[in-house]
Amino acid sequence: MSGVALPSRAAIVATAGEAIARGSKSFTAASRLFDRKTRQRAWLLYAWCRACDDLADGQDHGHGMTKVADPQARLAEMRAKTAAALADQWVGDPDFDALRIVVAETNMPHRFVWDVIEGFALDADGWGPRHESDLYRYCYHVAGAVGCMMAVVMGVSPDDEDTLDRACDLGIAFQLANIARDVEEDDRAGRCYLPDEWLTEIDVPPGQHMKPPFRHRLSMLVRRLAERAGEHAESARIGTRALGLRSAWAVLAAAGIYGDIARKVVARGDHAWDHRVTTGAFEKLGWIGKSAWQAAARRRLFPPLSRPNHLWTRPREQATNPDE
């Protein structure tokens, strides 16, 4: 980009703030609770995640997902722009330049970035989970690794494996809630994140889970997703002990708001997908108020219990760019 005026950090942060405002009202509300520096970095990270997701799914700020005709080409573009950002090069795309900034400012381990890209590679390959452990592996790549990145943004050391595990748990909880809410939307895009073994267990043929005769059985599986999300969220709350007050406040608010999504899906039962589940402004404000108290009392409310052995554990090996 020699000879071209580069955008300022402030301009890229402003664009990132617009991206989160358009893409997620839940995350926007929670991000306002961070201190200014952390909030800006959270926006920068979100902008990159949102751009990758939109590129992979042919959508606009998380809306209008479609089945794309060129998934591998989109993945290649994502990898190339991400590699440039990680090489400390200005990409010329504000969302990927946002990644460059946040990685440089926080000394973000590149392995988490590539772990997220691996999740998009799974979707590009038309992958689907066979077993429950496969589901968690996917959730790690598309959300748990982002949780680890957010922990680093909040000042957690990349060597603090226990706190990173808790951050990963929260990302997985969010993704399980997303999957529960978006079963019908994913089906229209030719995707299913319900493990084959779960569908076999309730005698639902592959690709038929959205058919009316199986709706009640599907709601049973979604209840299971919500329960798993709740277990991971409870584990994640213990990790807030390692965070500053305002970061803990934001994390606990997000956990409550997103937890409501999973709970509403379960409450609607067979009608969970008639209309998209959302949380209202007053519900978000309620969690912001409740989580302020939780954050202040977090060391008493969330004692340092060992992470449950039955929870899936994130990989420790480093993902790399396959194009290198």
Side-chain angles (χ1 to χ4, degrees), residues 216-237:
H216 184 65
R217 301 182 203 179
L218 176 62
S219 65
M220 293 168 53
L221 291 188
V222 166
R223 187 179 303 116
R224 185 182 301 177
L225 281 174
E227 290 170 354
R228 302 293 193 271
E231 290 176 344
H232 283 84
E234 281 303 307
S235 173
R237 288 184 174 92

Side-chain angles (χ1 to χ4, degrees), residues 174-201:
F174 289 168
Q175 188 61 28
L176 290 171
N178 276 341
I179 291 171
R181 180 191 61 192
D182 297 339
V183 168
E184 190 272 339
E185 182 179 356
D186 289 332
D187 181 66
R188 282 190 278 112
R191 297 177 184 171
C192 177
Y193 298 112
L194 300 171
D196 290 343
E197 65 180 7
W198 286 12
L199 295 170
T200 299
E201 177 186 329

Side-chain angles (χ1 to χ4, degrees), residues 2-323:
S2 177
V4 178
L6 299 178
S8 67
R9 181 186 186 279
I12 293 175
V13 168
T15 299
E18 293 171 2
I20 194 170
R22 291 181 62 188
S24 175
K25 291 182 174 61
S26 295
F27 288 144
T28 299
S31 74
R32 294 290 182 184
L33 307 180
F34 288 124
D35 62 83
R36 182 173 180 271
K37 180 175 71 174
T38 305
R39 178 171 61 251
Q40 289 184 350
R41 290 173 175 174
W43 288 357
L44 292 169
L45 178 58
Y46 178 90
W48 171 73
C49 294
R50 178 77 278 148
C52 290
D53 203 28
D54 286 350
L55 182 60
D57 291 341
Q59 58 191 9
D60 179 17
H61 290 81
H63 307 292
M65 183 172 69
T66 59
K67 188 173 184 178
V68 301
D70 56 345
Q72 294 300 331
R74 291 166 179 263
L75 177 63
E77 178 183 348
M78 193 188 307
R79 282 176 169 154
K81 289 182 175 180
T82 297
L86 294 181
D88 202 25
Q89 301 170 7
W90 284 100
V91 183
D93 181 323
D95 298 319
F96 288 85
D97 285 328
L99 175 67
R100 173 197 176 275
I101 294 170
V102 73
V103 166
E105 291 184 353
T106 62
N107 293 315
M108 181 77 66
H110 292 190
R111 70 179 184 274
F112 295 140
V113 179
W114 291 119
D115 276 347
V116 175
I117 296 295
E118 179 60 24
F120 293 109
L122 290 172
D123 279 332
D125 289 339
W127 173 93
R130 296 184 60 187
H131 307 289
E132 187 170 343
S133 60
D134 298 330
L135 169 64
Y136 299 136
R137 179 169 68 93
Y138 175 78
C139 288
Y140 165 72
H141 282 294
V142 298
V146 177
C148 293
M149 295 173 76
M150 272 300 304
V152 175
V153 164
M154 289 183 277
V156 174
S157 168
D159 298 323
D160 185 350
E161 299 287 7
D162 182 66
T163 302
L164 292 179
D165 283 342
R166 305 292 184 166
C168 175
D169 284 337
L170 188 60
I172 289 176
F174 289 168
Q175 188 61 28
L176 290 171
N178 276 341
I179 291 171
R181 180 191 61 192
D182 297 339
V183 168
E184 190 272 339
E185 182 179 356
D186 289 332
D187 181 66
R188 282 190 278 112
R191 297 177 184 171
C192 177
Y193 298 112
L194 300 171
D196 290 343
E197 65 180 7
W198 286 12
L199 295 170
T200 299
E201 177 186 329
I202 62 170
D203 199 24
V204 173
Q208 302 298 304
H209 56 280
M210 285 307 302
K211 300 295 184 183
F214 303 119
R215 185 61 64 93
H216 184 65
R217 301 182 203 179
L218 176 62
S219 65
M220 293 168 53
L221 291 188
V222 166
R223 187 179 303 116
R224 185 182 301 177
L225 281 174
E227 290 170 354
R228 302 293 193 271
E231 290 176 344
H232 283 84
E234 281 303 307
S235 173
R237 288 184 174 92
I238 293 175
T240 61
R241 295 171 57 89
L243 304 178
L245 178 62
R246 292 194 62 173
S247 290
W249 185 14
V251 166
L252 291 168
I257 292 168
Y258 244 78
D260 272 355
I261 291 175
R263 287 185 284 271
K264 284 187 174 185
V265 170
V266 171
R268 289 186 181 183
D270 297 356
H271 299 283
W273 307 279
D274 293 351
H275 304 283
R276 183 178 176 85
V277 170
T278 60
T279 54
F282 286 109
E283 292 168 307
K284 291 181 177 68
L285 287 172
W287 276 110
I288 288 172
K290 182 177 181 179
S291 59
W293 169 79
Q294 290 178 333
R298 63 193 182 283
R299 292 185 176 86
R300 176 172 56 84
L301 292 174
F302 311 121
L305 302 175
S306 298
R307 187 170 178 270
N309 291 329
H310 70 277
L311 293 185
W312 184 88
T313 301
R314 65 186 173 88
R316 295 296 194 266
E317 66 273 11
Q318 179 172 342
T320 59
N321 180 6
D323 297 329

